[in-house]
Amino acid sequence: MTDNMAIERSRTVAVVGTGTMGQGIAQVALVAGHPVRLYDTAPGRARQAAEAITGRLGRLVEKGRMSPDERDAAAARLHVADTLEDLADAALVVEAVVERLTVKQELFTALERTVADDCLLATNTSSLSVTAIAAALRLPGRFVGLHFFNPAPLLPLVEVVSGFASDPAAATRAYATVEGWGKTPVRCADTPGFIVNRIARPFYAEALRLYEERAADPVTIDAVLRECGGFAMGPFELTDLIGQDVNEAVTRSVWEAFHHDPKFTPSLAQRRLVESGRLGRKTGQGWYGYAEGAERPVVPTEAPAPAPDKITVHGSLGHAEPLVRLIEEAGIKVRRHRRGHHITLPGGGHLTLADGEAVFEYEGEEIVYFDLAHDYTTATRIALATAPTTSPETLQEAVGLFQALGKEVTVIGDVPGMIVARTVAMLVDLAVDAVDREVASAEDIDTAMRLGVNYPAGPFEWAARLGYETVSDLLGSLHTRYPTGRYAPCLGVVRRDYEERAAMKGQDSR
C-alpha cells in the first residue's frame, strides 16, 4: 500500500555524520540501490567512512551475501560530499551527529537553505525531541525521526517518529522508504524514549531495584530472566554491553522528560557504578569483570532433592497450567481440587505463582512462591521464594518437584512479584499506557520490543497469555506494598481488566 510512496532508488540519499550509526545507515541505503553521499564536518572523516563501508561490502562478498558485481555497483554509487551544498539534489537526508539539540537545529537550518523543498529530512536521534529539532525549520512538516538500531545493517527495526508538526505524508514516505530497504518500520509519536527506550525501562529498572532490595545478585537475576523469562540476555549483562553510562543516561533522560514519574526513577546502584568508572565491557569492569581470564560468577542453584510422589492442584494455575502436564509426565501423581489457584505439596505446603504478595505475609502457613515463566515447558530454571519461617522440608519438596521436571532451581529473597512476574507486569503497564496515549499501536509496540531488544514476546502478547486481571492484580498488590506510584496500574490496565471480567460474566450467563 505504501510502496508507491517510497523514494525512488535512483534518487540520492545523504547521510550527515559518519560515525558508526551514520555509516550503518549509509550502507543500508547503498545496498538498497540508492546513490549515497556522505558528509561530515570533521576533515577527512567522510572519506574514511566511505572506505570503511566499501570494506564491509567486500566482506559481504566473502560471505556470499553479495556478488562482486553488486559490490562494485554499490561502491560506484557511494560519494563523499565536501560541503553541504553537495547534498543539494538529495531526496532524503538522514542526520546522525552528536546528540545536542542546538547542533542538530543549526544543521537542519543550513540544510533547508540547500536542498529542495520536497526533500525529506530525518534525524536518527534516540533521546531528543523530534518536535524540538524541527522547531527551527521553515518547513517542519517534512521532518521526521528515523531511529535505526545499532548495528543498522543487521538490526531490522526502524522507529518512524512523527513530531508535532510532521506531515502524515512525510511519515508515510519515510515508512515506505525504509520498508523498501528491507527494514521493519513501526510508527511512533514524538514522546520521550519513542517506543523501545520508553517501554524497555522496567527490564533494567526492576532488576536494579531487586538488586538494591537484596533479593538476588546480578548473576542470579540475569539467569532467571534468561532461563525462566525467555529473554535473550539478562539486564546486568546487557547494560554492561551497552555501557552503564549510556544506559543510565537514557533512563535519566526519560525520567526527566516525564517530570520525574516514579515509574521511570533511575537506580542509585547504577549511578554509583557509573561514578566509579565501571562502565561495562568497554572499561573491562561493570557488573561483571571482562579482563582476560575473568570468570563469570556461578548462578546459585539448589542441590538435588527427592521428587514428591504426589501433589494436589487446586483450581486453575492460569499461565502455569502447563506445569500439570509436565508433572504427570514426570510420573508424579496429580490430584485435582476445584477451589484455589495453587499446588499442595505432600507435607501440606502451598506452591503459588508469584502474585505481588510476599511469603512473610502468610504467617503460620507453609508457602513457597514460584516465578512466572515465558514457557514452562522450555524454561530451564525456576526461581522460588520462601520466608524464614518456611520449613526446610517444604522447600525441599518444592525444589524436588521442579527438578523432576528438568529445571534448575534457584531460591531468591522474599520480595513481592519476584523477578520475571514483576518485570513483565511493568512492561505491560507501560505498553498499555503508551497505546492509550496514542504513542503507537499495540501491534507496533510488540513488533518493536521483539525486534528492537529481542524480547521473547511483546507486552501485549504477554498480556494476552496472562490476562489483564492477572496483570492488574499483580500491579495492585505491588502498589500496596510499595505505595510510591511506581507500581500503580495505569487506567488502561484497570479498564481492560474490567472489560475482560465483564466479558467472562457474559459468557457464563449464556
Side-chain angles (χ1 to χ4, degrees), residues 240 273 277-291:
D240 268 358
L273 199 69
R278 299 183 176 194
L279 307 183
R281 289 179 181 269
K282 61 187 176 184
T283 61
Q285 180 68 52
W287 294 108
Y288 304 108
Y290 298 94

Side-chain angles (χ1 to χ4, degrees), residues 323-334 336 405:
L323 284 173
V324 178
R325 178 180 58 81
L326 296 178
I327 292 169
E328 291 174 332
E329 290 175 353
I332 298 171
K333 185 176 180 181
V334 176
R336 301 295 304 230
L405 310 185

Side-chain angles (χ1 to χ4, degrees), residues 210 214-217 220-221 224 300 302 354 359 369-371 381-387 395 409-420:
L210 288 160
R214 296 299 183 261
D217 60 6
T220 298
I221 296 170
V224 171
E302 292 297 301
V359 183
Y369 272 114
F370 66 96
D371 208 349
R381 184 176 299 274
I382 295 292
L384 303 179
T386 66
L395 176 58
V409 179
T410 294
V411 178
I412 68 170
D414 180 22
V415 288
M418 300 190 72
I419 297 174
V420 182

Side-chain angles (χ1 to χ4, degrees), residues 224-231 317-323 326 353-354 370-383 402 407 417-422 424 456-457 462 465-466:
V224 171
L225 282 164
R226 278 195 323 268
E227 301 167 33
C228 184
F231 293 90
L317 300 181
H319 182 69
E321 188 66 23
L323 284 173
L326 296 178
L353 178 61
F370 66 96
D371 208 349
L372 178 68
H374 174 246
D375 184 340
Y376 284 100
T377 302
T378 59
T380 57
R381 184 176 299 274
I382 295 292
F402 282 107
K407 318 296 184 187
M418 300 190 72
I419 297 174
V420 182
R422 182 195 288 201
V424 168
W462 274 106
R465 295 179 185 185
L466 298 174

